[in-house]
Amino acid sequence: MEKINWDERGIIPVVVQDHETRDVVMLAYMNEEAFNLTVRTGTMHYYSRSRKTLWLKGETSGHTQKVKNLYLDCDNDAILAVVDQKVAACHTGYWSCFYRVLDGTWKVVGRKVFDEKEVYK
Amino acid sequence: MEKINWDERGIIPVVVQDHETRDVVMLAYMNEEAFNLTVRTGTMHYYSRSRKTLWLKGETSGHTQKVKNLYLDCDNDAILAVVDQKVAACHTGYWSCFYRVLDGTWKVVGRKVFDEKEVYK
């Protein structure tokens, strides 16, 4: 398989797009273990830079992401994952992590779909 | 304005989505100067990590990106730019930089829209 260019930290940024709505819902990172688990299981796994651990998206919330397709960019240093997003991508309760638009200030325009206090108790 | 979390290199990843097709066409990086220029001019500017310089997308090829909207993610450490992409995003001649899909190996499935040898002489 053509080599992924892992960066100096051994990770690669992953753009996540919902298959049905075609919304970009988040950006996260994978290390090689997360990538291999994602391919093997068909469910998105990431590497948390802050916690320095492998992370199954939706492990706590149930808001998992089923892989439809994985794409690699021209420089081999970014991945695009097209997924079936369950419920919402963002831990804040918004459908997409990109819920604020620049309009003088960053203004909330995203769709809130769950109460994060009820999901993460 | 709510602060962008520039990373330890002073940059932030920027996901670029074409407004009309809703295709994700590239991932690049901005430093603060590139961000400010983008906002002021309405045309996407980036920071090249390899060349360590500011970069106006389309400066050589003419394949510029007009800003429709800029979104910030929940952690303030990723930007989504929705743009009007002229001709193609990728320097290889493909419409999108994400022109290879994982199917055992990375297989080319993207749409080639120009001859890169004619554009970059």
Side-chain angles (χ1 to χ4, degrees):
Chain A
M1 193 190 305
E2 198 158 352
K3 280 289 269 188
I4 292 173
N5 278 345
W6 307 99
D7 75 6
E8 66 282 1
R9 299 164 294 184
I11 61 177
I12 189 168
V14 182
V15 179
V16 186
Q17 183 178 33
D18 178 58
H19 176 253
E20 195 182 327
T21 62
R22 306 204 78 217
D23 293 332
V24 176
V25 292
M26 58 185 273
L27 179 78
Y29 296 82
M30 284 179 177
N31 61 3
E32 194 164 4
E33 188 184 4
F35 177 80
N36 290 339
L37 266 170
T38 296
V39 171
R40 204 170 74 217
T41 64
T43 303
M44 295 296 286
H45 289 70
Y46 300 101
Y47 177 77
S48 166
R49 295 170 302 161
S50 53
R51 286 177 282 132
K52 299 187 193 306
T53 53
L54 196 79
W55 161 52
L56 164 61
K57 171 70 182 168
E59 191 164 24
T60 305
S61 64
H63 306 162
T64 51
Q65 298 170 331
K66 197 171 171 210
V67 179
K68 299 290 284 187
N69 273 308
L70 299 172
Y71 298 86
L72 187 62
D73 84 343
C74 50
D75 297 325
N76 305 323
D77 63 2
I79 286 173
L80 167 64
V82 176
V83 306
D84 274 333
Q85 174 67 58
K86 271 201 191 170
V87 184
C90 194
H91 70 287
T92 58
Y94 288 93
W95 161 246
S96 166
C97 292
F98 297 98
Y99 59 85
R100 291 168 299 174
V101 73
L102 185 61
D103 180 16
T105 59
W106 296 103
K107 290 192 182 150
V108 172
V109 291
R111 188 162 53 92
K112 189 125 187 187
V113 291
F114 72 88
D115 182 349
E116 73 280 16
K117 291 181 206 73
E118 289 301 307
V119 169
Y120 303 99
K121 287 184 187 179
Chain B
M1 195 189 305
E2 199 160 352
K3 280 290 270 187
I4 291 172
N5 278 346
W6 308 100
D7 75 6
E8 65 283 1
R9 299 165 293 184
I11 61 178
I12 188 168
V14 181
V15 179
V16 186
Q17 182 178 34
D18 179 57
H19 176 252
E20 196 182 328
T21 62
R22 307 205 78 218
D23 292 333
V24 176
V25 293
M26 59 185 272
L27 179 78
Y29 295 84
M30 286 181 177
N31 61 3
E32 194 163 3
E33 188 184 3
F35 178 79
N36 290 338
L37 265 169
T38 296
V39 172
R40 205 171 73 219
T41 64
T43 302
M44 295 297 286
H45 290 70
Y46 301 101
Y47 177 77
S48 166
R49 295 169 303 162
S50 53
R51 287 176 281 131
K52 299 186 196 303
T53 53
L54 196 79
W55 162 51
L56 164 61
K57 171 71 183 166
E59 192 165 22
T60 305
S61 63
H63 305 163
T64 52
Q65 299 170 330
K66 198 172 170 210
V67 179
K68 299 289 283 187
N69 275 307
L70 299 172
Y71 298 86
L72 187 61
D73 84 343
C74 50
D75 298 325
N76 305 322
D77 63 2
I79 286 172
L80 167 64
V82 177
V83 306
D84 274 334
Q85 173 67 59
K86 270 201 191 169
V87 185
C90 193
H91 71 285
T92 58
Y94 288 93
W95 160 245
S96 167
C97 293
F98 297 97
Y99 59 86
R100 291 168 299 175
V101 73
L102 185 61
D103 180 15
T105 59
W106 296 104
K107 290 193 182 150
V108 172
V109 290
R111 186 163 55 92
K112 188 125 187 191
V113 291
F114 71 88
D115 182 349
E116 73 279 16
K117 291 180 207 74
E118 289 300 308
V119 169
Y120 304 99
K121 285 184 190 181

PDB file of all heavy atoms in Angstrom, chain B residues 76-108:
ATOM      1  N   ASN B  76     -11.405  25.313  18.681  1.00  0.00           N
ATOM      2  CA  ASN B  76     -10.715  26.480  18.115  1.00  0.00           C
ATOM      3  C   ASN B  76      -9.395  26.128  17.428  1.00  0.00           C
ATOM      4  O   ASN B  76      -8.536  27.003  17.280  1.00  0.00           O
ATOM      5  CB  ASN B  76     -10.441  27.544  19.196  1.00  0.00           C
ATOM      6  CG  ASN B  76     -11.694  27.962  19.939  1.00  0.00           C
ATOM      7  OD1 ASN B  76     -12.763  28.073  19.337  1.00  0.00           O
ATOM      8  ND2 ASN B  76     -11.581  28.200  21.228  1.00  0.00           N
ATOM      9  N   ASP B  77      -9.249  24.854  17.048  1.00  0.00           N
ATOM     10  CA  ASP B  77      -7.968  24.460  16.455  1.00  0.00           C
ATOM     11  C   ASP B  77      -8.102  23.838  15.068  1.00  0.00           C
ATOM     12  O   ASP B  77      -7.192  23.128  14.601  1.00  0.00           O
ATOM     13  CB  ASP B  77      -7.176  23.557  17.398  1.00  0.00           C
ATOM     14  CG  ASP B  77      -7.877  22.241  17.693  1.00  0.00           C
ATOM     15  OD1 ASP B  77      -8.971  22.001  17.138  1.00  0.00           O
ATOM     16  OD2 ASP B  77      -7.331  21.449  18.481  1.00  0.00           O
ATOM     17  N   ALA B  78      -9.204  24.110  14.390  1.00  0.00           N
ATOM     18  CA  ALA B  78      -9.353  23.736  12.978  1.00  0.00           C
ATOM     19  C   ALA B  78     -10.350  24.690  12.338  1.00  0.00           C
ATOM     20  O   ALA B  78     -11.318  25.115  12.994  1.00  0.00           O
ATOM     21  CB  ALA B  78      -9.834  22.289  12.838  1.00  0.00           C
ATOM     22  N   ILE B  79     -10.104  25.014  11.086  1.00  0.00           N
ATOM     23  CA  ILE B  79     -10.979  25.902  10.326  1.00  0.00           C
ATOM     24  C   ILE B  79     -11.554  25.128   9.148  1.00  0.00           C
ATOM     25  O   ILE B  79     -10.868  24.292   8.547  1.00  0.00           O
ATOM     26  CB  ILE B  79     -10.195  27.151   9.840  1.00  0.00           C
ATOM     27  CG1 ILE B  79      -9.938  28.097  11.028  1.00  0.00           C
ATOM     28  CG2 ILE B  79     -10.931  27.889   8.718  1.00  0.00           C
ATOM     29  CD1 ILE B  79      -9.014  29.255  10.718  1.00  0.00           C
ATOM     30  N   LEU B  80     -12.816  25.389   8.847  1.00  0.00           N
ATOM     31  CA  LEU B  80     -13.435  24.895   7.621  1.00  0.00           C
ATOM     32  C   LEU B  80     -13.697  26.106   6.733  1.00  0.00           C
ATOM     33  O   LEU B  80     -14.373  27.044   7.147  1.00  0.00           O
ATOM     34  CB  LEU B  80     -14.752  24.177   7.936  1.00  0.00           C
ATOM     35  CG  LEU B  80     -15.671  23.884   6.745  1.00  0.00           C
ATOM     36  CD1 LEU B  80     -15.022  22.916   5.761  1.00  0.00           C
ATOM     37  CD2 LEU B  80     -17.019  23.323   7.232  1.00  0.00           C
ATOM     38  N   ALA B  81     -13.128  26.085   5.534  1.00  0.00           N
ATOM     39  CA  ALA B  81     -13.356  27.154   4.568  1.00  0.00           C
ATOM     40  C   ALA B  81     -14.240  26.627   3.459  1.00  0.00           C
ATOM     41  O   ALA B  81     -13.893  25.644   2.794  1.00  0.00           O
ATOM     42  CB  ALA B  81     -12.019  27.632   3.997  1.00  0.00           C
ATOM     43  N   VAL B  82     -15.381  27.253   3.273  1.00  0.00           N
ATOM     44  CA  VAL B  82     -16.238  26.931   2.131  1.00  0.00           C
ATOM     45  C   VAL B  82     -15.934  27.973   1.066  1.00  0.00           C
ATOM     46  O   VAL B  82     -15.986  29.180   1.332  1.00  0.00           O
ATOM     47  CB  VAL B  82     -17.720  26.926   2.530  1.00  0.00           C
ATOM     48  CG1 VAL B  82     -18.600  26.670   1.328  1.00  0.00           C
ATOM     49  CG2 VAL B  82     -17.963  25.874   3.608  1.00  0.00           C
ATOM     50  N   VAL B  83     -15.550  27.483  -0.121  1.00  0.00           N
ATOM     51  CA  VAL B  83     -14.997  28.378  -1.150  1.00  0.00           C
ATOM     52  C   VAL B  83     -15.613  28.102  -2.521  1.00  0.00           C
ATOM     53  O   VAL B  83     -16.190  27.037  -2.750  1.00  0.00           O
ATOM     54  CB  VAL B  83     -13.452  28.188  -1.270  1.00  0.00           C
ATOM     55  CG1 VAL B  83     -12.768  28.352   0.075  1.00  0.00           C
ATOM     56  CG2 VAL B  83     -13.093  26.853  -1.912  1.00  0.00           C
ATOM     57  N   ASP B  84     -15.449  29.067  -3.397  1.00  0.00           N
ATOM     58  CA  ASP B  84     -15.686  28.818  -4.818  1.00  0.00           C
ATOM     59  C   ASP B  84     -14.348  28.461  -5.437  1.00  0.00           C
ATOM     60  O   ASP B  84     -13.467  29.328  -5.571  1.00  0.00           O
ATOM     61  CB  ASP B  84     -16.266  30.077  -5.492  1.00  0.00           C
ATOM     62  CG  ASP B  84     -17.776  30.133  -5.356  1.00  0.00           C
ATOM     63  OD1 ASP B  84     -18.403  29.061  -5.226  1.00  0.00           O
ATOM     64  OD2 ASP B  84     -18.329  31.240  -5.368  1.00  0.00           O
ATOM     65  N   GLN B  85     -14.169  27.195  -5.777  1.00  0.00           N
ATOM     66  CA  GLN B  85     -12.903  26.705  -6.320  1.00  0.00           C
ATOM     67  C   GLN B  85     -12.883  26.881  -7.829  1.00  0.00           C
ATOM     68  O   GLN B  85     -13.751  26.350  -8.520  1.00  0.00           O
ATOM     69  CB  GLN B  85     -12.731  25.219  -5.966  1.00  0.00           C
ATOM     70  CG  GLN B  85     -11.541  24.555  -6.611  1.00  0.00           C
ATOM     71  CD  GLN B  85     -10.235  25.105  -6.072  1.00  0.00           C
ATOM     72  OE1 GLN B  85      -9.964  25.038  -4.894  1.00  0.00           O
ATOM     73  NE2 GLN B  85      -9.398  25.672  -6.952  1.00  0.00           N
ATOM     74  N   LYS B  86     -11.891  27.620  -8.321  1.00  0.00           N
ATOM     75  CA  LYS B  86     -11.733  27.763  -9.772  1.00  0.00           C
ATOM     76  C   LYS B  86     -10.983  26.568 -10.355  1.00  0.00           C
ATOM     77  O   LYS B  86      -9.904  26.213  -9.840  1.00  0.00           O
ATOM     78  CB  LYS B  86     -10.922  29.019 -10.092  1.00  0.00           C
ATOM     79  CG  LYS B  86     -11.782  30.257 -10.259  1.00  0.00           C
ATOM     80  CD  LYS B  86     -11.032  31.324 -11.047  1.00  0.00           C
ATOM     81  CE  LYS B  86     -11.763  32.646 -11.001  1.00  0.00           C
ATOM     82  NZ  LYS B  86     -10.944  33.744 -11.519  1.00  0.00           N
ATOM     83  N   VAL B  87     -11.481  25.943 -11.375  1.00  0.00           N
ATOM     84  CA  VAL B  87     -10.849  24.868 -12.174  1.00  0.00           C
ATOM     85  C   VAL B  87     -10.578  23.597 -11.360  1.00  0.00           C
ATOM     86  O   VAL B  87     -11.181  22.560 -11.606  1.00  0.00           O
ATOM     87  CB  VAL B  87      -9.557  25.329 -12.882  1.00  0.00           C
ATOM     88  CG1 VAL B  87      -9.010  24.215 -13.779  1.00  0.00           C
ATOM     89  CG2 VAL B  87      -9.820  26.586 -13.705  1.00  0.00           C
ATOM     90  N   ALA B  88      -9.645  23.684 -10.407  1.00  0.00           N
ATOM     91  CA  ALA B  88      -9.258  22.507  -9.628  1.00  0.00           C
ATOM     92  C   ALA B  88      -8.457  22.951  -8.421  1.00  0.00           C
ATOM     93  O   ALA B  88      -7.788  23.976  -8.458  1.00  0.00           O
ATOM     94  CB  ALA B  88      -8.417  21.557 -10.480  1.00  0.00           C
ATOM     95  N   ALA B  89      -8.510  22.139  -7.373  1.00  0.00           N
ATOM     96  CA  ALA B  89      -7.760  22.467  -6.155  1.00  0.00           C
ATOM     97  C   ALA B  89      -6.350  21.895  -6.181  1.00  0.00           C
ATOM     98  O   ALA B  89      -5.447  22.444  -5.570  1.00  0.00           O
ATOM     99  CB  ALA B  89      -8.499  21.931  -4.936  1.00  0.00           C
ATOM    100  N   CYS B  90      -6.145  20.786  -6.890  1.00  0.00           N
ATOM    101  CA  CYS B  90      -4.899  20.033  -6.728  1.00  0.00           C
ATOM    102  C   CYS B  90      -3.884  20.374  -7.813  1.00  0.00           C
ATOM    103  O   CYS B  90      -4.237  20.480  -8.992  1.00  0.00           O
ATOM    104  CB  CYS B  90      -5.195  18.531  -6.736  1.00  0.00           C
ATOM    105  SG  CYS B  90      -3.796  17.547  -6.162  1.00  0.00           S
ATOM    106  N   HIS B  91      -2.633  20.493  -7.402  1.00  0.00           N
ATOM    107  CA  HIS B  91      -1.562  20.831  -8.341  1.00  0.00           C
ATOM    108  C   HIS B  91      -1.260  19.676  -9.306  1.00  0.00           C
ATOM    109  O   HIS B  91      -0.561  19.864 -10.298  1.00  0.00           O
ATOM    110  CB  HIS B  91      -0.292  21.233  -7.583  1.00  0.00           C
ATOM    111  CG  HIS B  91       0.372  20.074  -6.893  1.00  0.00           C
ATOM    112  ND1 HIS B  91      -0.127  19.513  -5.740  1.00  0.00           N
ATOM    113  CD2 HIS B  91       1.466  19.358  -7.212  1.00  0.00           C
ATOM    114  CE1 HIS B  91       0.656  18.517  -5.372  1.00  0.00           C
ATOM    115  NE2 HIS B  91       1.629  18.390  -6.239  1.00  0.00           N
ATOM    116  N   THR B  92      -1.803  18.485  -8.994  1.00  0.00           N
ATOM    117  CA  THR B  92      -1.569  17.326  -9.866  1.00  0.00           C
ATOM    118  C   THR B  92      -2.526  17.303 -11.057  1.00  0.00           C
ATOM    119  O   THR B  92      -2.427  16.412 -11.899  1.00  0.00           O
ATOM    120  CB  THR B  92      -1.813  16.022  -9.079  1.00  0.00           C
ATOM    121  OG1 THR B  92      -3.161  16.062  -8.588  1.00  0.00           O
ATOM    122  CG2 THR B  92      -0.842  15.868  -7.932  1.00  0.00           C
ATOM    123  N   GLY B  93      -3.482  18.246 -11.078  1.00  0.00           N
ATOM    124  CA  GLY B  93      -4.436  18.276 -12.178  1.00  0.00           C
ATOM    125  C   GLY B  93      -5.790  17.700 -11.817  1.00  0.00           C
ATOM    126  O   GLY B  93      -6.741  17.789 -12.594  1.00  0.00           O
ATOM    127  N   TYR B  94      -5.872  17.097 -10.620  1.00  0.00           N
ATOM    128  CA  TYR B  94      -7.154  16.566 -10.168  1.00  0.00           C
ATOM    129  C   TYR B  94      -7.989  17.676  -9.535  1.00  0.00           C
ATOM    130  O   TYR B  94      -7.456  18.620  -8.947  1.00  0.00           O
ATOM    131  CB  TYR B  94      -6.948  15.420  -9.162  1.00  0.00           C
ATOM    132  CG  TYR B  94      -6.440  14.169  -9.839  1.00  0.00           C
ATOM    133  CD1 TYR B  94      -5.071  13.906  -9.914  1.00  0.00           C
ATOM    134  CD2 TYR B  94      -7.323  13.280 -10.437  1.00  0.00           C
ATOM    135  CE1 TYR B  94      -4.596  12.778 -10.568  1.00  0.00           C
ATOM    136  CE2 TYR B  94      -6.854  12.146 -11.090  1.00  0.00           C
ATOM    137  CZ  TYR B  94      -5.496  11.905 -11.150  1.00  0.00           C
ATOM    138  OH  TYR B  94      -5.027  10.789 -11.796  1.00  0.00           O
ATOM    139  N   TRP B  95      -9.301  17.523  -9.660  1.00  0.00           N
ATOM    140  CA  TRP B  95     -10.248  18.473  -9.066  1.00  0.00           C
ATOM    141  C   TRP B  95     -10.011  18.592  -7.558  1.00  0.00           C
ATOM    142  O   TRP B  95      -9.934  19.685  -7.019  1.00  0.00           O
ATOM    143  CB  TRP B  95     -11.671  18.000  -9.370  1.00  0.00           C
ATOM    144  CG  TRP B  95     -12.743  18.549  -8.501  1.00  0.00           C
ATOM    145  CD1 TRP B  95     -13.525  17.838  -7.627  1.00  0.00           C
ATOM    146  CD2 TRP B  95     -13.176  19.912  -8.408  1.00  0.00           C
ATOM    147  NE1 TRP B  95     -14.401  18.683  -7.004  1.00  0.00           N
ATOM    148  CE2 TRP B  95     -14.217  19.964  -7.458  1.00  0.00           C
ATOM    149  CE3 TRP B  95     -12.783  21.102  -9.022  1.00  0.00           C
ATOM    150  CZ2 TRP B  95     -14.880  21.143  -7.116  1.00  0.00           C
ATOM    151  CZ3 TRP B  95     -13.434  22.289  -8.685  1.00  0.00           C
ATOM    152  CH2 TRP B  95     -14.468  22.298  -7.732  1.00  0.00           C
ATOM    153  N   SER B  96      -9.900  17.452  -6.881  1.00  0.00           N
ATOM    154  CA  SER B  96      -9.682  17.419  -5.437  1.00  0.00           C
ATOM    155  C   SER B  96      -8.355  16.751  -5.141  1.00  0.00           C
ATOM    156  O   SER B  96      -7.947  15.815  -5.845  1.00  0.00           O
ATOM    157  CB  SER B  96     -10.809  16.621  -4.767  1.00  0.00           C
ATOM    158  OG  SER B  96     -10.468  16.317  -3.415  1.00  0.00           O
ATOM    159  N   CYS B  97      -7.676  17.208  -4.084  1.00  0.00           N
ATOM    160  CA  CYS B  97      -6.451  16.535  -3.649  1.00  0.00           C
ATOM    161  C   CYS B  97      -6.734  15.113  -3.149  1.00  0.00           C
ATOM    162  O   CYS B  97      -5.848  14.275  -3.144  1.00  0.00           O
ATOM    163  CB  CYS B  97      -5.790  17.339  -2.532  1.00  0.00           C
ATOM    164  SG  CYS B  97      -5.156  18.932  -3.089  1.00  0.00           S
ATOM    165  N   PHE B  98      -7.972  14.855  -2.748  1.00  0.00           N
ATOM    166  CA  PHE B  98      -8.331  13.526  -2.227  1.00  0.00           C
ATOM    167  C   PHE B  98      -8.828  12.654  -3.388  1.00  0.00           C
ATOM    168  O   PHE B  98     -10.006  12.294  -3.450  1.00  0.00           O
ATOM    169  CB  PHE B  98      -9.388  13.671  -1.132  1.00  0.00           C
ATOM    170  CG  PHE B  98      -8.899  14.437   0.068  1.00  0.00           C
ATOM    171  CD1 PHE B  98      -9.176  15.795   0.205  1.00  0.00           C
ATOM    172  CD2 PHE B  98      -8.139  13.812   1.042  1.00  0.00           C
ATOM    173  CE1 PHE B  98      -8.713  16.510   1.306  1.00  0.00           C
ATOM    174  CE2 PHE B  98      -7.673  14.524   2.151  1.00  0.00           C
ATOM    175  CZ  PHE B  98      -7.965  15.880   2.272  1.00  0.00           C
ATOM    176  N   TYR B  99      -7.941  12.339  -4.314  1.00  0.00           N
ATOM    177  CA  TYR B  99      -8.350  11.645  -5.540  1.00  0.00           C
ATOM    178  C   TYR B  99      -8.082  10.137  -5.493  1.00  0.00           C
ATOM    179  O   TYR B  99      -8.324   9.450  -6.473  1.00  0.00           O
ATOM    180  CB  TYR B  99      -7.675  12.276  -6.778  1.00  0.00           C
ATOM    181  CG  TYR B  99      -6.178  12.274  -6.767  1.00  0.00           C
ATOM    182  CD1 TYR B  99      -5.454  11.175  -7.222  1.00  0.00           C
ATOM    183  CD2 TYR B  99      -5.462  13.375  -6.321  1.00  0.00           C
ATOM    184  CE1 TYR B  99      -4.080  11.173  -7.216  1.00  0.00           C
ATOM    185  CE2 TYR B  99      -4.080  13.385  -6.306  1.00  0.00           C
ATOM    186  CZ  TYR B  99      -3.399  12.279  -6.754  1.00  0.00           C
ATOM    187  OH  TYR B  99      -2.023  12.280  -6.739  1.00  0.00           O
ATOM    188  N   ARG B 100      -7.592   9.636  -4.351  1.00  0.00           N
ATOM    189  CA  ARG B 100      -7.353   8.194  -4.218  1.00  0.00           C
ATOM    190  C   ARG B 100      -8.166   7.632  -3.061  1.00  0.00           C
ATOM    191  O   ARG B 100      -8.156   8.188  -1.958  1.00  0.00           O
ATOM    192  CB  ARG B 100      -5.871   7.927  -3.982  1.00  0.00           C
ATOM    193  CG  ARG B 100      -5.024   8.239  -5.210  1.00  0.00           C
ATOM    194  CD  ARG B 100      -3.556   8.246  -4.870  1.00  0.00           C
ATOM    195  NE  ARG B 100      -3.267   9.261  -3.877  1.00  0.00           N
ATOM    196  CZ  ARG B 100      -2.085   9.449  -3.318  1.00  0.00           C
ATOM    197  NH1 ARG B 100      -1.067   8.665  -3.643  1.00  0.00           N
ATOM    198  NH2 ARG B 100      -1.902  10.400  -2.429  1.00  0.00           N
ATOM    199  N   VAL B 101      -8.828   6.525  -3.322  1.00  0.00           N
ATOM    200  CA  VAL B 101      -9.662   5.881  -2.310  1.00  0.00           C
ATOM    201  C   VAL B 101      -9.012   4.565  -1.891  1.00  0.00           C
ATOM    202  O   VAL B 101      -8.337   3.917  -2.695  1.00  0.00           O
ATOM    203  CB  VAL B 101     -11.100   5.649  -2.850  1.00  0.00           C
ATOM    204  CG1 VAL B 101     -11.128   4.526  -3.879  1.00  0.00           C
ATOM    205  CG2 VAL B 101     -12.091   5.381  -1.722  1.00  0.00           C
ATOM    206  N   LEU B 102      -9.225   4.219  -0.628  1.00  0.00           N
ATOM    207  CA  LEU B 102      -8.667   2.962  -0.124  1.00  0.00           C
ATOM    208  C   LEU B 102      -9.549   1.801  -0.571  1.00  0.00           C
ATOM    209  O   LEU B 102     -10.729   1.718  -0.216  1.00  0.00           O
ATOM    210  CB  LEU B 102      -8.591   2.986   1.404  1.00  0.00           C
ATOM    211  CG  LEU B 102      -7.902   1.769   2.041  1.00  0.00           C
ATOM    212  CD1 LEU B 102      -6.456   1.640   1.585  1.00  0.00           C
ATOM    213  CD2 LEU B 102      -7.964   1.846   3.565  1.00  0.00           C
ATOM    214  N   ASP B 103      -8.949   0.893  -1.346  1.00  0.00           N
ATOM    215  CA  ASP B 103      -9.665  -0.276  -1.841  1.00  0.00           C
ATOM    216  C   ASP B 103      -8.611  -1.368  -2.002  1.00  0.00           C
ATOM    217  O   ASP B 103      -8.194  -1.679  -3.112  1.00  0.00           O
ATOM    218  CB  ASP B 103     -10.354   0.066  -3.172  1.00  0.00           C
ATOM    219  CG  ASP B 103     -11.125  -1.121  -3.740  1.00  0.00           C
ATOM    220  OD1 ASP B 103     -11.371  -2.087  -2.998  1.00  0.00           O
ATOM    221  OD2 ASP B 103     -11.449  -1.087  -4.943  1.00  0.00           O
ATOM    222  N   GLY B 104      -8.144  -1.856  -0.843  1.00  0.00           N
ATOM    223  CA  GLY B 104      -6.978  -2.751  -0.833  1.00  0.00           C
ATOM    224  C   GLY B 104      -5.714  -1.917  -0.923  1.00  0.00           C
ATOM    225  O   GLY B 104      -4.912  -1.880   0.000  1.00  0.00           O
ATOM    226  N   THR B 105      -5.545  -1.235  -2.036  1.00  0.00           N
ATOM    227  CA  THR B 105      -4.513  -0.197  -2.155  1.00  0.00           C
ATOM    228  C   THR B 105      -5.226   1.149  -2.343  1.00  0.00           C
ATOM    229  O   THR B 105      -6.452   1.199  -2.419  1.00  0.00           O
ATOM    230  CB  THR B 105      -3.627  -0.456  -3.389  1.00  0.00           C
ATOM    231  OG1 THR B 105      -4.483  -0.449  -4.542  1.00  0.00           O
ATOM    232  CG2 THR B 105      -2.926  -1.792  -3.297  1.00  0.00           C
ATOM    233  N   TRP B 106      -4.438   2.218  -2.449  1.00  0.00           N
ATOM    234  CA  TRP B 106      -5.017   3.531  -2.740  1.00  0.00           C
ATOM    235  C   TRP B 106      -5.221   3.629  -4.248  1.00  0.00           C
ATOM    236  O   TRP B 106      -4.252   3.681  -5.008  1.00  0.00           O
ATOM    237  CB  TRP B 106      -4.095   4.652  -2.243  1.00  0.00           C
ATOM    238  CG  TRP B 106      -3.916   4.666  -0.754  1.00  0.00           C
ATOM    239  CD1 TRP B 106      -2.817   4.241  -0.062  1.00  0.00           C
ATOM    240  CD2 TRP B 106      -4.855   5.144   0.229  1.00  0.00           C
ATOM    241  NE1 TRP B 106      -3.026   4.422   1.294  1.00  0.00           N
ATOM    242  CE2 TRP B 106      -4.265   4.969   1.499  1.00  0.00           C
ATOM    243  CE3 TRP B 106      -6.137   5.685   0.155  1.00  0.00           C
ATOM    244  CZ2 TRP B 106      -4.911   5.338   2.688  1.00  0.00           C
ATOM    245  CZ3 TRP B 106      -6.778   6.045   1.340  1.00  0.00           C
ATOM    246  CH2 TRP B 106      -6.167   5.865   2.588  1.00  0.00           C
ATOM    247  N   LYS B 107      -6.467   3.625  -4.682  1.00  0.00           N
ATOM    248  CA  LYS B 107      -6.779   3.628  -6.113  1.00  0.00           C
ATOM    249  C   LYS B 107      -7.277   4.984  -6.570  1.00  0.00           C
ATOM    250  O   LYS B 107      -8.116   5.602  -5.902  1.00  0.00           O
ATOM    251  CB  LYS B 107      -7.869   2.584  -6.402  1.00  0.00           C
ATOM    252  CG  LYS B 107      -7.319   1.183  -6.233  1.00  0.00           C
ATOM    253  CD  LYS B 107      -8.229   0.116  -6.792  1.00  0.00           C
ATOM    254  CE  LYS B 107      -7.614  -1.256  -6.519  1.00  0.00           C
ATOM    255  NZ  LYS B 107      -8.608  -2.310  -6.350  1.00  0.00           N
ATOM    256  N   VAL B 108      -6.774   5.425  -7.710  1.00  0.00           N
ATOM    257  CA  VAL B 108      -7.179   6.726  -8.244  1.00  0.00           C
ATOM    258  C   VAL B 108      -8.622   6.662  -8.724  1.00  0.00           C
ATOM    259  O   VAL B 108      -8.971   5.830  -9.553  1.00  0.00           O
ATOM    260  CB  VAL B 108      -6.244   7.155  -9.400  1.00  0.00           C
ATOM    261  CG1 VAL B 108      -6.783   8.403 -10.077  1.00  0.00           C
ATOM    262  CG2 VAL B 108      -4.839   7.403  -8.865  1.00  0.00           C
TER     263      VAL B 108
END
